[in-house]
Amino acid sequence: MRTLKYALLGMLNKQDMTGYELMKLFEGALAEFWSVKHSQIYPELKRLTEEGMVTYTVEISGSVLEKKLYSITELGRKDFMNWLSQTHKMKATPKEEFRLQLFYSSALSPERQIYILEDQLKQHQIRLEHLKKNQSEFGEVPQKGTYEFSDYLVLLGAIRREESTCNWLKECIDMCKED
């Protein structure tokens, strides 16, 4: 499945955007749960254009800079809404290098094992603070049926994930410190 296709169609379903604006969204709100390489975006936009899912107009910025403003077509909107309406099976557990490291950490000294756990805890606490700051910018729960509400739901999931990870890491640290 070409999930990037649906990420792009979803953004264009909200509003017309340039490739640069689409890349910036992947660095912003989407970065909390989805990553993509910049080199993947333009080839996918080209493919979507060839498939008739997306169209674009060329705009001139300044005296010579051309930029493409992409729009979703009815065919693209239909395909996106069909994908959006489906249920999706849960994916296999993602690979996490830290958990693999922790799995073998009994080979380390107890002090080093605690150090790597505490280091991970600090990183997740920083991410949690960042997410909570993003949540505070909403002020209140957005109105249902808006894009902001959907964004808020995903953000809430990210906060819960980080809270759970922090609690788990604290528990591991406490267990490692027990005599």
Side-chain angles (χ1 to χ4, degrees):
M1 168 168 306
R2 290 170 36 211
T3 312
L4 176 57
K5 166 186 176 178
Y6 296 110
L8 292 169
L9 289 175
M11 288 184 243
L12 294 173
N13 192 52
K14 291 170 85 170
Q15 68 183 53
D16 297 350
M17 292 185 213
T18 65
Y20 178 78
E21 291 168 330
L22 290 164
M23 282 191 318
K24 285 299 182 190
L25 279 174
F26 279 108
E27 294 171 356
L30 291 174
E32 304 299 346
F33 62 93
W34 188 263
S35 65
V36 66
K37 294 178 183 163
H38 291 253
S39 62
Q40 295 174 287
I41 294 173
Y42 287 102
E44 187 62 30
L45 285 169
K46 182 178 184 215
R47 189 171 174 186
L48 288 168
T49 301
E50 291 169 352
E51 293 171 347
M53 304 274 179
V54 166
T55 188
Y56 64 87
T57 57
V58 176
E59 296 182 346
I60 305 295
S61 178
S63 59
V64 290
L65 182 64
E66 288 185 359
K67 61 182 180 179
K68 294 178 182 177
L69 184 65
Y70 292 91
S71 305
I72 192 169
T73 64
E74 276 308 309
L75 179 63
R77 185 170 284 110
K78 183 179 175 185
D79 189 44
F80 171 71
M81 293 305 293
N82 181 48
W83 169 82
L84 189 60
S85 300
Q86 296 174 12
T87 59
H88 296 274
K89 291 191 183 265
M90 191 169 132
K91 302 259 186 214
T93 302
K95 297 175 184 176
E96 289 188 46
E97 187 175 358
F98 170 73
R99 290 178 192 246
L100 181 63
Q101 181 185 20
L102 184 59
F103 185 78
Y104 294 113
S105 69
S106 61
L108 297 172
S109 70
E111 295 80 21
R112 190 67 186 169
Q113 191 177 38
I114 291 169
Y115 175 80
I116 66 167
L117 284 161
E118 288 174 340
D119 179 67
Q120 278 294 302
L121 177 59
K122 286 176 194 168
Q123 291 181 57
H124 283 278
Q125 287 171 328
I126 290 168
R127 182 178 292 158
L128 180 58
E129 288 172 24
H130 167 75
L131 293 169
K132 285 185 174 183
K133 179 182 174 286
N134 288 351
Q135 183 184 34
S136 71
E137 292 173 7
F138 279 94
E140 60 184 32
V141 177
Q143 182 179 348
K144 291 180 188 174
T146 63
Y147 288 112
E148 291 79 15
F149 181 73
S150 297
D151 185 12
Y152 188 85
L153 294 177
V154 172
L155 179 59
L156 188 60
I159 289 169
R160 296 296 180 263
R161 177 194 65 222
E162 292 306 320
E163 288 173 338
S164 177
T165 299
C166 286
N167 289 335
W168 167 68
L169 288 165
K170 288 175 187 174
E171 188 175 349
C172 290
I173 291 166
D174 289 344
M175 292 171 67
C176 288
K177 288 181 177 180
E178 288 177 357
D179 288 329

